[in-house]
Amino acid sequence: MARIPQHFIDELLARTDIVDLIDGRVPLKKKGSEYAACCPFHSEKTPSFYVVPDKQFYHCFGCGAHGTALSFLMEYDNMEFRDAVRELADAAGLEVPEDDDSGPGPDPDGALREALAHADQWFRQQLKQSSEAKAYLKGRGLSGRTAADFGLGYAPEGWSGLLDTAANEARRDALLATGMLIRNDRGRVYDRFRGRVMFPIRDTRGRTIAFGGRIIGEGEPKYLNSPEHPLFHKGQELYGLYEARQALRDIPRLLVVEGYMDVIALADAGIHWAVATLGTAATPDHLNKAFRTANEVVCCFDGDNAGRRAAWRALENALPVLRTGRELRFLFLPEGEDPDSMVHKEGREAFETRVASATTLSRWLRERLSEGLALDTAEGRAGLVARARPLLDKVRDEVYRSLLADELADAAGLAPERWAAMLAQGGERAGPKDAAARRQAQRPPRPALRLTPVREAIALILQAPPLAADIPDRAALARLDIKGVSTLSELIEQAGETELTTASLLERWRDRPEHPHLARLAAHPIPGDEDSRRERLLDIIRRLIGPRAVEARLEALLKRESESGLNAEEKSELKALYRARLEHQRTG
């Protein structure tokens, strides 16, 4: 599979200020040459979370959390590595390149993308030839321009229209793998989509990764989506997000609706900032992706009971991803209406006014949790506390959680201090008091790290990569048969390639099993200034390649000589080791 080149990761980290990145999520205060805050990954009253600009690295002395700018996005924003890279690249104005290291033979993802692109073009061509499909879209009030912007197509009636265009077995296999074709129990292969208007689902780069199909006329199901496959996970994709980014340079607000036609009808009316989930409730991944596009997200639902249940699921899923600076609102339409019908009925300006007046999350949370409770009684207030506690536990951002708690305290007619005490009392019986404490419980303190000489040398190189330039006799070090020395030698070589920070050096090991251990060593405190650390590192290296190391290597070569003989290079090394032994004996 394609991977992101290392030189790009280096450049990306060099262009990213980890202080600005974290400060936008967790307010930092300068302390000397570093920045501090209460840790966002566990509950604490005294700051133990530090960000070190020179290293482009963060570390918490309380719970042990540590890492680079990419690590922070992955843990704090629940991002995958590639999404974190794209997030930083967008902020830096860089395009993410990819290397193809798949080796000989076709790239499986490439074959899937080619098959989906082929299907996309074929559906578009079929739309041009179908008067019935064009009449349907015209009847829904769509302009040709909007249909083209969203790449709409048509899957004609019949069982093998797309199948017949598969020029070879490889393409047919790829269409099967993406769910565009189906093979039944008897081995027959046929088209999944038939007699439907087709909506291509695109990734953030505009590549088609799946389809939705709306039947023309009567029939069930009304809407049919592609099944999940290696390129498509419906819980992560937002329909129309690519088109919104193409239409607007800046998107301060994003409207999340339920259907393809809602997004397209709104765009046709001039509202280009709507996206849709793909037949599922809004997931944390959906909402994280939405908030990476806009700071304000409005979820739009029907006003009936089903719509309110869907909105509540969205609220519960949103709580873990909300933080200060992110605003979530809820828009409930009149029963029986959807965004498509409403924008046609009342026009763009009236619909935008509805969106602007949508209910805030805190207000709706307050209303829903208070339903059926007599808050002027002790029993009612206790009921509100019981309802609120598991929801507040979901909120990771402590400032946001505190603000929500104040809102609910006001609903109960309690002082915030009294409300907090009631939550804490119940929490002692029920489990962790809040989400941060729960995360701390899930991240037990690690045992103290025992520093061997090799581990200490690794920590010194990681924390100050320029020290690698001062290390003598690297070849002798690399030959040592001591645990960890091969990793140390590779780090020394990497640190000598260019001016790397702790972060960029660590990122070179992200996909390797040593990465968690190296990250921990990068965070391990080592006292002293630059000069004392340099002398400490050189002393460790001298001891590693000193008499004991010489004797160990001599023993290994002599054993090999007796068993299978030595080659010319090994014989030369053996002579050098004898000379080194004599020198150690003379000076010892």
Side-chain angles (χ1 to χ4, degrees):
M1 291 178 62
R3 63 178 176 83
I4 300 171
Q6 185 59 53
H7 69 81
F8 179 79
I9 300 295
D10 291 344
E11 181 180 2
L12 187 61
L13 292 174
R15 291 202 188 190
T16 299
D17 187 333
I18 194 171
V19 174
D20 288 344
L21 175 76
I22 295 179
D23 188 53
R25 294 160 170 80
V26 181
L28 299 171
K29 290 185 178 180
K30 199 169 193 309
K31 283 196 172 184
S33 62
E34 300 177 351
Y35 293 79
C38 286
C39 181
F41 303 117
H42 82 284
S43 180
E44 62 178 7
K45 295 181 180 179
T46 303
S48 61
F49 179 84
Y50 283 80
V51 182
V52 188
D54 291 345
K55 297 179 183 179
Q56 290 292 294
F57 191 75
Y58 68 87
H59 174 63
C60 176
F61 292 96
C63 69
H66 52 248
T68 67
L70 289 168
S71 303
F72 186 84
L73 287 179
M74 291 168 71
E75 185 157 3
Y76 190 84
D77 282 2
N78 295 315
M79 291 187 184
E80 296 294 329
F81 174 72
R82 286 177 176 272
D83 290 333
V85 170
R86 293 189 185 101
E87 174 86 355
L88 294 185
D90 286 345
L94 299 174
E95 179 73 20
V96 181
E98 290 188 345
D99 278 345
D100 182 8
D101 65 348
S102 56
D107 172 7
D109 285 355
L112 300 187
R113 293 190 193 283
E114 188 281 329
L116 289 164
H118 165 75
D120 190 9
Q121 291 301 316
W122 188 75
F123 289 141
R124 293 194 204 192
Q125 188 62 39
Q126 297 307 302
L127 177 61
K128 294 177 182 178
Q129 299 173 10
S130 173
S131 56
E132 181 185 13
K134 287 186 288 188
Y136 170 80
L137 294 175
K138 186 176 181 180
R140 296 293 299 261
L142 295 186
S143 67
R145 173 63 183 272
T146 299
D149 286 345
F150 283 84
L152 301 191
Y154 176 63
E157 295 284 359
W159 294 89
S160 63
L162 180 60
L163 172 62
D164 291 341
T165 70
N168 52 53
E169 187 174 351
R171 177 177 287 175
R172 189 192 68 169
D173 289 345
L175 290 170
L176 279 165
T178 56
M180 303 307 298
L181 301 179
I182 298 174
R183 177 182 281 114
N184 65 17
D185 294 339
R186 293 174 292 177
R188 181 191 172 194
V189 176
Y190 56 92
D191 292 358
R192 175 180 295 273
F193 296 97
R194 306 178 302 279
R196 295 177 181 271
V197 171
M198 299 299 292
F199 304 88
I201 300 165
R202 295 158 163 166
D203 65 14
T204 54
R205 295 173 61 180
R207 299 172 298 186
T208 298
I209 56 175
F211 290 89
R214 205 283 186 193
I215 199 164
I216 295 179
E218 300 299 322
E220 293 294 337
K222 183 181 293 184
Y223 283 94
L224 180 65
N225 292 329
S226 292
E228 294 197 347
H229 57 76
L231 300 179
F232 174 57
H233 304 281
K234 63 183 180 180
Q236 300 175 2
E237 301 298 335
L238 289 171
Y239 176 76
L241 183 57
Y242 170 76
E243 289 79 4
R245 287 175 168 172
Q246 292 298 109
L248 302 172
R249 180 183 297 273
D250 180 50
I251 307 177
R253 173 188 291 158
L254 207 59
L255 180 67
V256 181
V257 297
E258 295 185 271
Y260 303 108
M261 284 302 302
D262 293 326
V263 173
I264 295 173
L266 290 169
D268 201 62
I271 299 174
H272 295 282
W273 31 272
V275 296
T277 56
L278 302 171
T280 65
T283 67
D285 285 337
H286 285 143
L287 293 164
N288 252 329
K289 182 169 283 191
F291 278 120
R292 291 199 291 271
T293 301
N295 290 328
E296 180 186 347
V297 174
V298 181
C299 291
C300 181
F301 299 95
D302 292 347
D304 58 13
N305 288 334
R308 290 183 175 271
R309 286 194 299 271
W312 188 252
R313 289 196 299 273
L315 181 147
E316 290 182 309
N317 287 335
L319 291 175
V321 306
L322 287 174
R323 60 171 182 257
T324 308
R326 288 182 170 184
E327 182 178 8
L328 182 66
R329 293 173 174 263
F330 296 88
L331 173 63
F332 297 101
L333 299 180
E335 191 166 348
E337 301 286 358
D338 57 31
D340 183 2
S341 63
M342 287 301 298
V343 78
H344 281 111
K345 182 179 295 185
E346 63 185 17
R348 171 182 173 177
E349 290 187 7
F351 189 85
E352 288 182 330
T353 300
R354 282 183 181 273
V355 175
S357 60
T359 304
T360 62
L361 179 145
S362 59
R363 177 182 166 191
W364 196 52
L365 181 66
R366 173 175 176 162
E367 291 174 357
R368 280 296 302 267
L369 292 182
S370 302
E371 285 179 2
L373 297 177
L375 296 179
D376 57 344
T377 68
E379 292 79 6
R381 289 191 289 269
L384 182 60
V385 169
R387 291 179 179 180
R389 185 181 299 113
L391 296 171
L392 292 176
D393 280 355
K394 292 175 178 284
V395 183
R396 298 183 62 179
D397 184 275
E398 294 196 26
V399 173
Y400 193 85
R401 184 172 61 254
S402 177
L403 293 173
L404 285 181
D406 288 349
E407 180 82 14
L408 295 174
D410 181 69
L414 295 170
E417 298 79 10
R418 176 60 178 149
W419 171 266
M422 292 176 70
L423 280 177
Q425 290 168 2
E428 288 170 359
R429 292 191 299 271
K433 295 179 182 179
D434 54 31
R438 177 173 295 167
R439 288 195 301 278
Q440 187 178 32
Q442 293 170 346
R443 192 201 296 269
R446 294 179 176 180
L449 185 63
R450 187 176 66 87
L451 280 191
T452 64
V454 173
R455 285 178 178 171
E456 187 176 355
I458 289 173
L460 287 163
I461 292 294
L462 286 168
Q463 294 179 33
L467 294 180
D470 300 324
I471 294 176
D473 206 356
R474 298 182 184 182
L477 181 66
R479 289 194 298 266
L480 295 180
D481 188 16
I482 300 174
K483 184 178 180 180
V485 164
S486 61
T487 300
L488 173 60
S489 295
E490 189 172 350
L491 282 167
I492 291 170
E493 293 303 317
Q494 290 173 341
E497 291 176 12
T498 182
E499 295 183 2
L500 298 181
T501 62
T502 298
S504 53
L505 188 54
L506 270 179
E507 286 298 341
R508 292 171 176 242
W509 293 75
R510 178 170 290 279
D511 295 328
R512 297 173 61 173
E514 298 90 347
H515 179 263
H517 308 292
L518 296 183
R520 195 175 177 197
L521 287 169
H524 188 82
I526 297 179
D529 57 17
E530 182 179 350
D531 289 339
S532 65
R533 290 184 178 192
R534 177 180 290 105
E535 185 54 40
R536 176 63 181 158
L537 176 62
L538 293 176
D539 181 61
I540 292 171
I541 299 300
R542 283 192 292 266
R543 285 191 287 117
L544 284 174
I545 59 177
R548 284 196 303 168
V550 168
E551 292 301 322
R553 182 58 178 167
L554 265 172
E555 183 179 344
L557 286 177
L558 290 171
K559 182 179 179 182
R560 185 176 304 171
E561 183 180 40
S562 65
E563 292 176 349
S564 58
L566 301 178
N567 59 32
E569 183 178 345
E570 290 168 334
K571 289 177 180 178
S572 176
E573 182 185 354
L574 186 61
K575 291 179 181 179
L577 288 169
Y578 277 126
R579 288 195 297 270
R581 173 196 271 178
L582 290 172
E583 180 64 20
H584 288 312
Q585 291 172 347
R586 185 180 65 81
T587 59

